[in-house]
Amino acid sequence: MAQVTINGKAYGFEKGEKILQVALRHDVEIPHYCYHPSMSIPASCRICLAEVWAPNPKSGALEPMPQLKPTCQTDCTDGMVVYTDSPRSIANQKSVMELLLINHPVDCPVCDKAGECYLQDYSHEYGRGQSRFLEEKVKNPKKDIGPDILLYSDRCIMCTRCVRFTREVTGTDELMVDGRGDREMIDVFPGKPLDNPLAGNVVDLCPVGALLDKDFLFQQRVWFLTKTPSIDGLTASGDNLFVEHNDGKVHRIKPRTNMDVNTWWITDEVRRGWKHVHSESRIRLPRVRGLDAFEPSQAAQAWKAGLAKAQGTVAGAVNAGKRAAIMVSPMLSCEDAFELASWVLSLDPKAELAVGPVPFAGEDRTFKGGFTMYAEKAPNARGVRRVLEALSARRGGGTVHDAASFAAAVRAGAVGAAVVTGNYPSDWVTPELRDACMHLPMVVIDTLENPLSAMAECVLPGATWVEKAGTFENAKGRLQAFLRAIEPIDFARAECQVGADLRAAFEGSRAAAVNPAVVRAAMAKVPGLERFATDVHVPDLSFTQASDMQFAEV
Ligand code: SF4
Ligand code: FES
């Protein structure tokens, strides 16, 4: 294999690979700002320049190239030798850093990007350490360039990543370079704000603090955040992401690179769709019809009464010769579906099984760069159906309903009691479902209050996807596990834990804390669910990054 030597170490490369790409693939750091693997290579920031030697095609002797070469744009050739740590390369790095900082306000103490800013990091690694610029700095303005994004032009280093993103990835062309020299600035075209479904990615792309997310502005210093690898819990994309949180509160969601799923991006609906996690309308304690509302100090008693009422409601219908039913929301994990449905089937082996309403908005949309935004706004419709169908086949068959046929079965009087789960980020109960369930004894397990929870015999508080671990199956049938980022709010419990607690109560025992990996192992023994032993993509735990600074109480 052809080889290139970078700073004394030889690496193999594929034809057409750039020096920087080979270096990044082998974790060799070469500073770079304008290069991003998803976009064209302008080689404009010049920080990646290096001294390059190559064999003379005639004599074969190794000769230096006359100028420093941009490693992001220079193809590797066999026998090439690259020095990013030679005196000439180092002098260039220092000069570029000095130039970039000439007009920079150096307002790190009030900048959201501080702590994850490449200008800071490279300044420390490759900069001069002090400024020789005595003249007045050019002061470029701060601008509101879209519904969610601010531009602090004075911090911009003109890498043009953001401009190329809107041209090459989204194809929406909102951003441009206006002016020349030290007056040049990023801007939006008049009357065309930065407003597309992927717009938030420019904040991640920006190597400095020039593009800022209004939602996160001044909310939290990034070094206090813990990053937990997770999966999109709102749509069928299965996008890989980080939930970034501190002290039990989610502060932002960022994309996690996975070239098999979402490459480098997530949609804004996924990025900003987590607000219901901390909603005032969260259900926080079990509630039982006919009993006074429980106080937080009575949480254990509330759960005991709630589980007993749930058990009594379903078992009562079965004992009266009627059918039990369970409608599992496509917002729940496969493990949630398995535990809850197993409990209902243990009470009534012929129970009606259904997948809850699957919300859609518009049609799938694929952007210029190939990223697809899914119209299906539920993370696990396929996984829930897969689990329910396997359990149904194991008991000898029977239809797994969708929400409409479930409502029809209830209306036809075929159901004596039902367990209904929600966990949607907003209103989800359709008028048909509400009317059909009007007189049905129900156990509702949900996160937000809704018309069904108002009518239920008992309401049990469930946990949003960031508050539990589990597995989702995305639109392409890929099974992906996600980790719990924060503890469930107040006295809520993960639905698979509720299912295990109910099953244990039915068997007269006490449920242990549920481990989703153990549930998956049990699921894999059910014919039709063998994939859960072999095909689940589990996030690399080394991705979990704890806060590197603890608050000190003084
Ligand atoms: S705003 Fe950020 S991403 Fe855009 S050109 Fe400036 S530094 Fe680069
Ligand atoms: S990264 Fe090579 S010139 Fe900018």
Side-chain angles (χ1 to χ4, degrees), residues 203-225:
V203 176
D204 308 332
L205 267 181
C206 182
V208 300
L211 289 166
L212 299 168
D213 195 326
K214 290 180 190 172
D215 198 40
F216 185 67
L217 194 68
F218 305 138
Q219 290 304 306
Q220 191 84 177
R221 302 315 319 223
V222 299
W223 50 85
F224 291 131
L225 296 174

Side-chain angles (χ1 to χ4, degrees), residues 463-534:
T464 61
W465 99 104
V466 297
E467 297 166 321
K468 62 187 173 190
T471 308
F472 291 147
E473 179 172 344
N474 78 354
K476 292 187 172 167
R478 182 183 167 98
L479 291 171
Q480 300 184 105
F482 56 96
L483 305 182
R484 185 177 70 191
I486 57 173
E487 292 290 330
I489 195 167
D490 290 352
F491 306 102
R493 291 182 189 176
E495 284 82 343
C496 73
Q497 182 69 54
V498 176
D501 291 345
L502 284 161
R503 213 138 52 111
F506 171 66
E507 289 160 3
S509 58
R510 243 184 112 124
V514 170
N515 178 345
V518 174
V519 179
R520 282 199 291 277
M523 289 162 71
K525 294 190 181 126
V526 177
L529 299 181
E530 296 85 353
R531 285 188 66 197
F532 284 92
T534 52

Side-chain angles (χ1 to χ4, degrees), residues 151 155-163 186 202 205-208 210-211:
L151 169 65
R155 295 178 187 157
C156 174
I157 58 165
M158 294 308 298
C159 71
T160 71
R161 279 183 174 194
C162 54
V163 177
I186 299 300
V202 297
L205 267 181
C206 182
V208 300
L211 289 166

